[in-house]
Amino acid sequence: MAYHKVNADQRAQGHSPYLDNDELQATALELEWDMEKELEEPGFDHFRPHGVVQHHLENLQSPDLDLEPIQPSSSPKGRFQRLQEDPDYISHCTRQPKSNRCSFFQILKVFCTALILFIFGIVVGYYACKKCPSPPPSQEPNNPRIYHEILKEIKAEHIQQIYRDLLQFPTEDDVGVATKILVQWRSQGLEDVRLVNYSVLLDLPGSSSNTVTLKNSGECFYPSGQQCNRETKTLHSQDLLYSYAAYSAKGTLEAELVDVQYGTVADLIRIQAITNVTKKIALLKLGQSPLLYKLSLLEDAGFGGVLLYVDPCDLPKTTDLTDKAFMVSLNGGGDPSTPGYASIDGSYRQNRLNLTTLLVQPISAVLAKKLISLPEDTVQKDRCIPLQWSAAGKKIISLNIQSVTTYKTISNVIGYLKGTVFPDRYVIIGSHHNSLNAYSGQEWASSTAVITAFIQALTLKVKKGWRPDRTIVFCSWAGTVFGNIGSYEWAEDLKGVLQRNVVAYISLHNPVRGNSTLHPVASPSLQQLAAESQSFKCVDKTRCPGSNVSSVQIQGDSDYFINHLGVPVTQFSYEDIKTSENSSFLSEALFPVHMTKTEELDPSFSLHETIAKLTGQVTLQIANEPVLPFNALDIALEVQNSLKGNSW
């Protein structure tokens, strides 16, 4: 009877018709109550369920089973629940003490396990911290000391050795020179260095030198002023070939020569009032204003050609370049075939073989004197007399220009020293290297030697665990003499990133042009920093250089960063004292500077060392100071001074 309910459940699975009877359901509830009572009787432990089940099944199968109506129990609940409702209920569970003991031991086990894990964690953490290198202390209080440790590694003898090693590089291939510089920088310890190549349009000299011929006498001259003959061509072949204006118009023009002095608006008005200048050749002085601006005025006026020279009165007294021709570029910047965008694969290229309709040829001051029939000596009683046309009558000349425009591959060398605090903020320091034997002069080796010496000093400190807060980017640009092509193309390629992330550009363009005066140039926001940096190594304060920092726009590869990205720029260089206010923009002329000339200017390379340390001092301060060392007040003063100079 105790298992009658079980059979009922089994039949429920087979959908027995008995389960639909209400009386059978009531009987099942009563039988469940009887079963629970039997479980409480003594001797139940010897109960055999299998026999009972068998007996129960036989009774169910008996046809004489009398199912009397049974009222359902008033409390049809489980046994233990109903017993708990009974006020006289006394628990008969004999396993309750064992459960309490189990719970106690389980809690104790959990507590001991947690305690052991806690102690083990403390031990592991102690030994792990003991073996780990302690974080470097804040570098901020020790920045001056760190700067001094880095800069003292820059030595003149090291720069001189690097300079001489650079001169051993082949000059006929720009990619080869760039590869040598890359290997040299990596050997100094700069790990992240790469070449960035661009295929650009270059204007190269032809197979023979350009010439100027006097039609009246039939005399032929090279740009330097020497007469055309085989011997002269053999002795000075490189200087003669590279005395030209890149991207000038090509061909031959025979016309009257007209002296236009500096080519200002006033000069042109005066000339046009007395003569017709259409298709004539202008004799133009370099200086006072940008060359491209003056050429645009001459082109609009109708001139067909230009002979360009530097007046000796505008040159420093310590420099004798009267018999030297020079090179200029008529390219405003970047690859002329891709103006405003990078020369990368897939870029559209424009057909711009000539950037002007004028035939432009640079000549020496000696040749200019011959053309205007002046005596050789124009210096009287320590006073320089500017060159000016004094002879009456017309002078017809024939100008022959035969440069060649072609596509070449140039390679920038870009190296990175990643910062630790602001790795996405860049301080760029740039020099330049020789491009396709652009000139026999070796002035490019000076800037490359200085930046390489600075890299060498920095990497010695980096090997000891130090790094700058901001990323320093080292650049050796290609194509500088053709219009800063390498820097333009790289900056145009990465314009979006550079606009957001570059904080300053430090230029090493021609760091030693003379040996008389240190000439710092800086954007207004960096003028105070440039002035303060000059006295960092002064022992005798009475002989320290002055704090006069010029804000005149810097020439060279910094052009794109200043004028297109708005990045503040600074540069230190040694120059000779100028003698005339007209000497501005003379740096557009690239005179040949040979190795012997560079070592004559700075035989001990002490000037190079000073430039390297000044440049390094400024670079380290910008790269490491928590707040950029910019001075907004200097910007306001510069704007105020500019407004004072305007009539409106």
Side-chain angles (χ1 to χ4, degrees), residues 512-587:
V512 180
R513 308 168 193 172
N515 55 10
S516 61
T517 304
L518 178 64
H519 183 57
V521 182
S523 299
S525 59
L526 288 176
Q527 286 185 11
Q528 182 175 340
L529 177 63
E532 294 174 351
S533 299
Q534 294 180 71
S535 60
F536 82 98
K537 60 186 289 290
C538 260
V539 178
D540 184 3
K541 297 298 181 181
T542 60
R543 302 185 60 184
C544 288
S547 59
N548 184 22
V549 181
S550 173
S551 61
V552 176
Q553 182 165 312
I554 302 172
Q555 301 295 322
D557 289 291
S558 59
D559 177 62
Y560 191 90
F561 297 91
I562 298 173
N563 296 322
H564 295 266
L565 300 181
V567 174
V569 177
T570 186
Q571 172 184 285
F572 296 94
S573 62
Y574 271 97
E575 299 181 0
D576 291 324
I577 300 174
K578 302 294 192 302
T579 60
S580 171
E581 62 179 7
N582 298 327
S583 58
S584 59
F585 298 100
L586 291 184
S587 58

Side-chain angles (χ1 to χ4, degrees), residues 357-386:
T357 59
L358 298 172
L359 276 74
V360 183
Q361 176 60 51
I363 61 174
S364 68
V366 171
L367 180 55
K369 292 177 182 179
K370 292 179 179 179
L371 295 177
I372 60 179
S373 303
L374 283 181
E376 293 291 333
D377 188 9
T378 57
V379 179
Q380 298 179 359
K381 297 181 181 181
D382 296 329
R383 186 174 68 88
C384 185
I385 302 177

Side-chain angles (χ1 to χ4, degrees), residues 76 105 125 162 184 219 221 226 234 267 274 285 318 330 332 336 340 350 406 409 470 480 498 580 585 635 645:
F105 284 117
I162 295 171
Q184 192 177 55
E219 293 179 287
F221 296 96
Q226 297 170 318
T234 303
D267 290 332
I274 60 176
K285 292 181 182 181
T318 56
L330 308 186
Q350 301 181 17
T406 183
T409 299
R470 297 177 180 88
T480 299
L498 298 178
S580 171
F585 298 100
I635 302 176

Side-chain angles (χ1 to χ4, degrees), residues 385-438:
I385 302 177
L387 298 183
Q388 188 173 4
W389 194 297
S390 60
K394 298 181 180 179
K395 186 163 290 189
I396 306 299
I397 66 170
S398 176
L399 177 60
N400 180 31
I401 296 178
Q402 48 184 345
S403 55
V404 178
T405 306
T406 183
Y407 283 97
K408 293 287 184 179
T409 299
I410 62 173
S411 298
N412 295 328
V413 187
I414 310 295
Y416 299 88
L417 180 57
K418 191 173 182 179
T420 56
V421 181
F422 309 105
D424 59 342
R425 292 295 179 265
Y426 307 138
V427 181
I428 300 179
I429 174 171
S431 64
H432 67 279
H433 58 266
N434 200 6
S435 297
L436 300 170
N437 199 18

Side-chain angles (χ1 to χ4, degrees), residues 103-124:
S103 299
F104 173 76
F105 284 117
Q106 288 177 355
I107 294 173
L108 181 62
K109 185 188 297 184
V110 172
F111 175 77
C112 292
T113 303
L115 181 62
I116 292 172
L117 291 176
F118 178 74
I119 296 173
F120 179 74
I122 292 177
V123 173
V124 171

Side-chain angles (χ1 to χ4, degrees), residues 127-160:
Y127 283 101
C129 293
K130 187 175 181 180
K131 293 181 180 180
C132 288
S134 59
S138 177
Q139 298 175 0
E140 178 58 25
N142 299 322
N143 268 341
R145 178 181 59 82
I146 293 175
Y147 301 163
H148 178 73
E149 292 176 356
I150 293 173
L151 298 178
K152 74 177 182 180
E153 299 296 334
I154 300 176
K155 299 179 181 178
E157 55 269 24
H158 293 165
I159 301 176
Q160 185 178 32

